[in-house]
Amino acid sequence: MSDFLIRNADVADFDDLSTVRKDIYIKDGRFEKIADAIDPASCPAATVIDAGGKLAMPGFTDCHSHVYQTFIKGPLDDLVITEWLVRLFTFEEYMTDEDYYYATLLSCLSAMRFGTTTINEMGGYEHMDATLKAFEDAGIRVTFGISTTDIPENEVTPIISVEEAIARSEEVYRKCHGRNHGLMKASVAPAGLPAVSGEMAKALKAWANERGLIYHTHLGEGKMETERVAREYGLGGEAEALEQLGILDDKTLLAHSIWLSDKEIDIIAKSGAIPVHCPNTNMKISDGIPKIAQMLKKGIPVAMGCDGEASSGTKDMVREGKAGSYLQKAITLDPTVMDAGTTFKMMTINGAKALGYDDLGMIKEGCQADLILVNMEDDLSLTDRDHRIGNLLYAGTGHAVDTVFVAGDLKLKDKKLVGFDEDLIIRKCNDLIHDLNVRTGYVKE
Ligand SMILES: [Zn+2]
């Protein structure tokens, strides 16, 4: 692995939206030294990159994802959720190992191109080997768990027994945990209480606890489903049910967290569990709007995720953060909530901590060097060097990201992926997606 000396980087401070110009020496995948000026002669083995005043930020952490959906975002557009789910499972049935490999690769590379360095993936079991190989080849940091269900929500839901869920989790752990120089970690990822029995939830939580792993699940995403769970448990909602089952703690990630009572938000705050805000999905498939501003006021360190592209349409965390910030301002009638600094913290340090890292999501000596440089001087609409952090969120997109490092490894340079032929990947994926659309009968040959 190469070492790097990045000179003249404007390091973003999310507390006061200021920047401070620094040189950054990356050695063995970590921030070795950050100082006003570092003499290249002091690190002769390092490759020198002049950031030329580009904005430096920690890499983004996408805390809720289903990467394979990048191949099926078109056919799932503009559908009501019941039909959306049936079509999702139908497409999954038709996807091959090769589809999963290239979908995962395409989604990871898109995410990295937009500055994401970590993905928290809820994936599928059927093509797990191809999926894990693609994560490894992409070189992105990932926490991977397989979506498990034992309550059929419709006639095509793939259900398995609790024993099988544990056996599959063992397999994920064996094949994934610690892989690719530790960039890959295992988790458990039961889909959510509408489709998961209390018995399965408890068994997977206990299994994860024994290994110190994350429990990653959907929470309160659909109104009707949440009401059904509340009735079945005789409680106020899904969060109350999770509390009763002993699932909620600081190793539990709760994607969406929309249909929650005030009492449940207090329960989550006390438990340390982390909601993951996925606003593009919430809007596009009309789930509802979570009370994120209220959660933040209670001190809950909410993280953010792009979810699957079949529901969000994008792997761009900047667009995700902007959507979330605007939504909260609109529903609270308060423009101060989810301000730019808070939103970027949700996209970086909060996500890293949620996934169990205490040395990630910060540009700090000793921490893992997941770093992005943002060039806002080649985009007319982003011009104003004094307000770059706010402008990136409110006026920009992830396209402004210019350089990406994952654990000190250079993945994007001058807006081009390093080590990948983008044109080749686009051509290959276009062909595979078209074949899939034809096989499933949604598009004519
Ligand atoms: Zn999801």
Side-chain angles (χ1 to χ4, degrees):
M1 182 185 287
S2 305
D3 298 336
F4 290 91
L5 173 59
I6 301 163
R7 308 194 75 187
N8 303 309
D10 286 351
V11 178
D13 184 330
F14 297 143
D15 285 322
D16 63 5
L17 305 187
S18 69
T19 59
V20 55
R21 187 152 295 188
K22 294 285 181 190
D23 287 356
I24 301 169
Y25 175 31
I26 296 173
K27 185 171 186 287
D28 299 329
R30 289 183 184 267
F31 297 118
E32 175 78 9
K33 189 176 177 187
I34 300 168
D36 292 344
I38 299 174
D39 183 358
S42 69
C43 41
T47 303
V48 178
I49 293 178
D50 189 351
K54 286 172 194 157
L55 189 60
M57 290 183 169
F60 302 137
T61 299
D62 179 344
C63 268
H64 181 62
S65 169
H66 314 278
V67 284
Y68 70 93
Q69 287 182 13
T70 196
F71 266 28
I72 50 178
K73 50 180 187 266
L76 273 70
D77 277 345
D78 309 326
L79 297 177
V80 294
I81 190 65
T82 41
E83 203 186 329
W84 186 93
L85 267 174
V86 168
R87 204 175 283 193
L88 177 81
F89 291 136
T90 306
F91 266 85
E92 280 179 17
E93 280 290 302
Y94 279 91
M95 285 177 74
T96 64
D97 271 351
E98 191 181 30
D99 289 329
Y100 269 82
Y101 175 84
Y102 276 99
T104 303
L105 189 67
L106 182 66
S107 193
C108 287
L109 296 181
S110 304
M112 275 202 291
R113 200 267 149 268
F114 292 139
T116 292
T117 49
T118 301
I119 285 178
N120 184 35
E121 172 72 2
M122 183 185 282
Y125 175 73
E126 299 303 333
H127 303 275
M128 179 171 67
D129 291 348
T131 303
L132 292 177
K133 180 79 174 77
F135 275 117
E136 183 174 23
D137 289 350
I140 203 164
R141 193 183 294 278
V142 63
T143 299
F144 179 90
I146 46 164
S147 174
T148 51
T149 56
D150 62 347
I151 300 172
E153 284 192 283
N154 56 46
E155 66 276 11
V156 286
T157 307
I159 60 165
I160 56 171
S161 66
V162 173
E163 293 71 30
E164 183 62 22
I166 296 290
R168 290 182 179 190
S169 300
E170 297 271 6
E171 192 179 339
V172 171
Y173 189 73
R174 228 175 30 248
K175 290 180 171 174
C176 175
H177 201 65
R179 186 162 160 180
N180 205 15
H181 312 287
L183 285 180
M184 296 169 71
K185 286 188 182 187
S187 72
V188 296
L193 284 187
V196 174
S197 67
E199 188 197 355
M200 178 178 274
K202 283 202 285 193
L204 286 170
K205 183 66 179 171
W207 185 89
N209 278 349
E210 282 168 24
R211 289 154 188 82
L213 305 183
I214 296 298
Y215 182 103
H216 174 200
T217 192
H218 296 106
L219 176 77
E221 182 176 8
K223 186 167 188 282
M224 250 168 44
E225 293 80 0
T226 302
E227 286 167 356
R228 173 166 65 75
V229 170
R231 273 198 308 277
E232 284 167 9
Y233 280 80
L235 293 167
E238 282 186 38
E240 283 191 39
L242 282 183
E243 185 200 28
Q244 191 182 72
L245 294 167
I247 305 296
L248 295 179
D249 60 33
D250 62 2
K251 285 193 155 45
T252 302
L253 272 72
L254 307 166
H256 304 297
S257 298
I258 299 168
W259 299 101
L260 300 178
S261 65
D262 291 350
K263 179 182 167 193
E264 287 180 297
I265 290 176
D266 287 339
I267 288 170
I268 290 170
K270 218 167 124 196
S271 73
I274 303 107
V276 182
H277 188 25
C278 309
N280 280 320
T281 287
N282 300 163
M283 289 191 284
K284 187 163 185 273
I285 60 172
S286 309
D287 286 335
I289 305 172
K291 294 180 237 175
I292 301 298
Q294 190 178 329
M295 294 178 199
L296 292 167
K297 283 209 172 93
K298 299 263 179 197
I300 300 175
V302 180
M304 296 213 59
C306 289
D307 205 348
E309 286 158 88
S311 58
S312 70
T314 182
K315 271 286 167 198
D316 181 355
M317 284 288 283
V318 175
R319 276 180 270 191
E320 201 68 48
K322 173 183 172 171
S325 176
Y326 280 18
L327 260 183
Q328 292 304 306
K329 293 175 197 306
I331 60 157
T332 58
L333 305 178
D334 180 356
T336 68
V337 300
M338 254 185 100
D339 59 84
T342 301
T343 304
F344 277 116
K345 283 185 203 169
M346 292 164 72
M347 290 157 60
T348 55
I349 180 89
N350 287 11
K353 281 191 176 158
L355 294 174
Y357 289 97
D358 56 12
D359 60 352
L360 193 70
M362 299 167 273
I363 303 178
K364 196 172 158 193
E365 286 179 4
C367 286
Q368 302 206 56
D370 288 18
L371 174 78
I372 65 172
L373 299 175
V374 186
N375 183 7
M376 298 169 69
E377 298 203 340
D378 60 358
D379 184 332
L380 292 172
S381 69
L382 298 178
T383 306
D384 175 357
R385 77 167 73 91
D386 299 321
H387 299 93
R388 284 177 290 174
I389 299 172
N391 279 351
L392 175 61
L393 186 68
Y394 297 131
T397 68
H399 283 290
V401 174
D402 171 275
T403 304
V404 174
F405 290 91
V406 176
D409 200 9
L410 183 62
K411 307 302 294 183
L412 186 83
K413 188 168 186 301
D414 301 327
K415 304 196 173 185
K416 286 281 168 206
L417 291 163
V418 176
F420 292 95
D421 183 334
E422 288 178 36
D423 294 338
L424 200 72
I425 288 171
I426 291 169
R427 271 205 304 280
K428 176 76 182 171
C429 290
N430 254 325
D431 288 346
L432 287 172
I433 292 168
H434 179 67
D435 284 353
L436 178 65
N437 286 329
V438 170
R439 277 206 307 285
T440 49
Y442 284 97
V443 166
K444 286 200 175 71
E445 191 120 28

